[in-house]
Amino acid sequence: MKSLDHFYVTFLRPVNLFVLAYFLALGIFYLALYVSAAFEMRRYLRQVRAERYREILSSEIAPAISMLVPAHNEEATIIESVRALLTLAYPRLEIVVVDDGSTDGTLSVMDTAFDLVPMKPLFDQHVTTKEVRSIFRSQQFPNLVVVSKDKGGKADSLNAALNISSGELVCAIDADTIIDPDGLRRLVRPFIRSRDVVAAGATIRVANGCTVTHGRLASERGPHRALAGIQAVEYLRAFLFGRPGWNRLGGNLLISGAFGLFRRQCLLDTNGYANTVGEDMELVVRLRRHGYETGQPSRVEFVPDPVAWTETPVSFKGLSRQRERWHRGFTDTLWRHRDIAFNPRYGVLGLVVVPAFILFEWMAPIVEAAGLILVPFGLIIGEVTLQFAVLFFSLACGFGIMLSMLALLLEEVSFRRYGRVRDRALLVVWAIIENFGYRQLTVWWRLRGLANYIRGKKSWGAMSREGFNIADEDSTSYTELSPSASPGVEADDEKEPVPVGSQY
């Protein structure tokens, strides 16, 4: 008994007090982030109403944009995704789809759907990539270019598209993503306002439960299944809470690979996408770092109203692989650029942004796991009071629910894309359920990602998807595309919409 008392006094009590203090600090930080996000959303909505970009963005003086679409084994969704891109309301748009050594019918279905003809593979290889085997152009849509290359991974595919593209701006997008028709015109605003902006990100929403027709969303429905519904809440919390808040607190550190816009020359100057597990975040950190080191522009903005819709994992197995890979990539990026943290040379990036991501995001699963293990253990041996245990779990769960509700409130007073009352009510239900079981699983998945990074794991992991719900032409009946296994780069788990383990 004395040994247990000694263990409690020397180890358990200080750790439990640290965990409790950490949660309190986390709460203060996120409340500050929420206040910042609320002011930013208010400013943005007023600014959008006052601006008159529609005439400019409908003319030939609008900056040319090239869409970079990497695809590996995307037979299930590639046609609808490309059709959606072709319907985007933007005057100077080029679409570059890169088939990264697919083993299914990705290239053949595009050939059939878009009447592809071969072109001479002549281009400047600014960034080294795997061999490009052939380049095609659509006879139906001259702005659609399809590239076939040896398999090299997502970053290699994006670099190949970057070499071949011609736009002043490039938009990286996943092949299973559908963008709002007006999304590009909204996302390009920061680049028109300021030359200091090198990248801009947009909101990603969950498409599970929505219906697609002619490459567009025919209905914006909230998920009615628990797993997808909880992820929908996570995405709203990340994109309506975390990202707008960082616009005011030092700029964003992350742009989702599902939908981001970049200055092409800035990407070429920094040697494009790195072949790493978390290439999305690593690229943004590298762009911002390059700006500080060279005195060039380095601002990264988040624009809340352009929306991309994407399919999320429908099984715990797929979701666990996704979250493990996200945290592994997050850890890799922080380690690659560890010398930025607390370094005054990098201004607010080094003194505020990166330290906050380390303290309140990277450390979160470690601290929460310690609390989940040590508090019950102390309760069992009688060295932790019931009141302390109740306080700890109330803080953990109540704090998570509060932040989710605040994010749903921002959605309600701003965009309200889920129009049905039932859908919005279900989001409240999912926000509560998330904290009892699901959140604890994400802690475990993220810790596994950290352990796998330490062990040197570099694989992307496999991912299967159901495909979009496709409406027929008269929208009276629906069919669902057959499942497609995605063992390479373009599965849903390549997206980097958060780290979401805490509350970003």
Side-chain angles (χ1 to χ4, degrees):
M1 198 62 166
K2 288 184 178 180
S3 61
L4 285 178
D5 289 341
H6 178 72
F7 173 73
Y8 172 73
V9 171
T10 60
F11 179 72
L12 189 59
R13 178 189 290 172
V15 171
N16 283 337
L17 292 175
F18 170 77
V19 170
L20 185 61
Y22 180 86
F23 271 101
L24 291 173
L26 193 67
I28 294 171
F29 171 75
Y30 279 122
L31 286 176
L33 194 63
Y34 177 80
V35 171
S36 175
F39 278 105
E40 178 68 12
M41 292 286 283
R42 182 185 181 190
R43 180 202 63 81
Y44 178 79
L45 292 173
R46 286 183 173 182
Q47 185 181 68
V48 167
R49 294 188 187 103
E51 289 172 345
R52 295 292 182 268
Y53 284 120
R54 184 172 296 275
E55 293 79 9
I56 296 176
L57 296 177
S58 299
S59 70
E60 291 302 314
I61 66 173
I65 294 178
S66 295
M67 307 294 294
L68 314 182
V69 189
H72 176 77
N73 288 356
E74 295 288 350
E75 181 181 2
T77 57
I78 189 64
I79 299 304
E80 286 302 315
S81 295
V82 174
R83 284 175 178 166
L85 294 177
L86 291 168
T87 65
L88 291 175
Y90 197 83
R92 302 175 63 193
L93 183 65
E94 176 186 53
I95 301 168
V96 183
V97 182
V98 178
D99 176 32
D100 188 55
S102 295
T103 56
D104 66 354
T106 298
L107 186 60
S108 62
V109 296
M110 284 193 290
D111 186 15
T112 301
F114 302 115
D115 195 12
L116 303 180
V117 294
M119 298 171 53
K120 290 184 178 180
L122 301 177
F123 59 93
D124 293 327
Q125 192 164 9
H126 300 283
V127 183
T128 303
T129 68
K130 294 286 187 179
E131 182 179 358
V132 172
R133 296 195 295 264
S134 52
I135 302 177
F136 305 90
R137 188 179 296 276
S138 170
Q139 293 193 89
Q140 301 176 29
F141 307 97
N143 62 328
L144 172 60
V145 177
V146 177
V147 181
S148 176
K149 61 178 287 292
D150 293 339
K151 187 174 184 300
K154 182 179 182 181
D156 193 77
S157 300
L158 288 169
N159 286 332
L162 188 63
N163 287 332
I164 294 168
S165 63
S166 59
E168 175 187 347
L169 306 177
V170 294
C171 181
I173 181 175
D174 284 344
D176 63 340
T177 300
I178 291 180
I179 302 175
D180 278 354
D182 204 35
L184 279 179
R185 291 202 300 204
R186 296 177 182 273
L187 189 56
V188 81
R189 287 191 189 113
F191 297 92
I192 295 177
R193 286 199 305 267
S194 173
R195 296 295 301 180
D196 291 336
V197 175
V198 297
T203 296
I204 311 297
R205 290 180 183 251
V206 173
N208 303 50
C210 300
T211 302
V212 177
T213 178
H214 302 298
R216 295 188 180 185
L217 254 66
S219 65
E220 297 178 0
R221 299 285 302 276
H224 287 189
R225 295 181 180 180
L227 192 59
I230 291 172
Q231 291 176 79
V233 173
E234 286 184 305
Y235 278 49
L236 287 175
R237 191 170 60 232
F239 291 100
L240 296 184
F241 187 155
R243 305 294 174 78
W246 278 116
N247 270 1
R248 282 177 170 254
L249 296 181
N252 275 277
L253 201 64
L254 180 61
I255 288 179
S256 171
F259 189 25
L261 194 59
F262 301 84
R263 291 198 188 275
R264 178 172 179 265
Q265 190 57 51
C266 292
L267 296 190
L268 295 177
D269 291 343
T270 53
N271 204 33
Y273 288 84
N275 187 20
T276 178
V277 181
E279 81 292 328
D280 305 3
M281 183 178 184
E282 195 281 331
L283 175 64
V284 174
V285 176
R286 183 155 33 92
L287 284 172
R288 296 201 64 184
R289 176 175 188 161
H290 179 262
Y292 276 99
E293 293 175 347
T294 62
Q296 297 181 16
S298 64
R299 181 157 183 79
V300 175
E301 286 199 10
F302 171 74
V303 186
D305 58 343
V307 172
W309 300 80
T310 190
E311 183 188 3
T312 59
V314 294
S315 69
F316 280 100
K317 184 177 180 180
L319 183 61
S320 67
R321 285 196 297 262
Q322 181 194 70
R323 298 309 167 86
E324 181 273 334
R325 194 198 69 85
W326 279 1
H327 203 68
R328 185 156 41 95
F330 181 46
T331 303
D332 179 67
T333 298
L334 292 177
W335 181 252
R336 284 171 180 255
H337 300 281
R338 58 190 179 277
D339 53 329
I340 295 178
F342 307 102
N343 189 338
R345 177 187 182 188
Y346 298 98
V348 69
L349 176 66
L351 298 178
V352 177
V353 182
V354 172
F357 270 78
I358 294 173
L359 295 174
F360 298 122
E361 181 58 43
W362 183 81
M363 283 184 59
I366 301 173
V367 176
E368 188 165 351
L372 291 173
I373 294 171
L374 295 179
V375 171
F377 177 74
L379 190 62
I380 291 171
I381 66 174
E383 298 293 351
V384 169
T385 65
L386 180 62
Q387 290 82 355
F388 183 91
V390 170
L391 176 62
F392 171 77
F393 287 107
S394 297
L395 277 175
C397 296
F399 176 60
I401 293 172
M402 181 192 71
L403 291 177
S404 295
M405 294 303 176
L406 289 175
L408 295 180
L409 178 61
L410 281 178
E411 161 71 2
E412 187 70 15
V413 300
S414 57
F415 305 115
R416 196 184 291 185
R417 295 299 298 266
Y418 298 115
R420 290 164 54 106
V421 174
R422 181 188 177 190
D423 293 337
R424 302 204 299 275
L426 275 175
L427 289 177
V428 175
V429 175
W430 305 140
I432 297 172
I433 292 177
E434 174 191 4
N435 293 273
F436 302 97
Y438 175 88
R439 175 172 168 175
Q440 290 71 35
L441 280 175
T442 63
V443 170
W444 164 244
W445 295 332
R446 297 171 75 198
L447 288 175
R448 196 175 66 191
L450 177 58
N452 286 336
Y453 176 77
I454 295 173
R455 289 200 295 263
K457 182 180 178 182
K458 299 182 182 299
S459 63
W460 290 76
M463 176 70 189
S464 63
R465 71 170 74 38
E466 293 181 332
F468 295 118
N469 292 330
I470 309 299
D472 65 10
E473 291 188 1
D474 60 8
S475 298
T476 58
S477 64
Y478 302 90
T479 58
E480 185 148 291
L481 295 177
S482 59
S484 171
S486 302
V489 295
E490 292 313 317
D492 181 77
D493 62 348
E494 276 80 71
K495 298 170 193 58
E496 270 319 327
V498 267
V500 292
S502 294
Q503 305 298 336
Y504 280 145

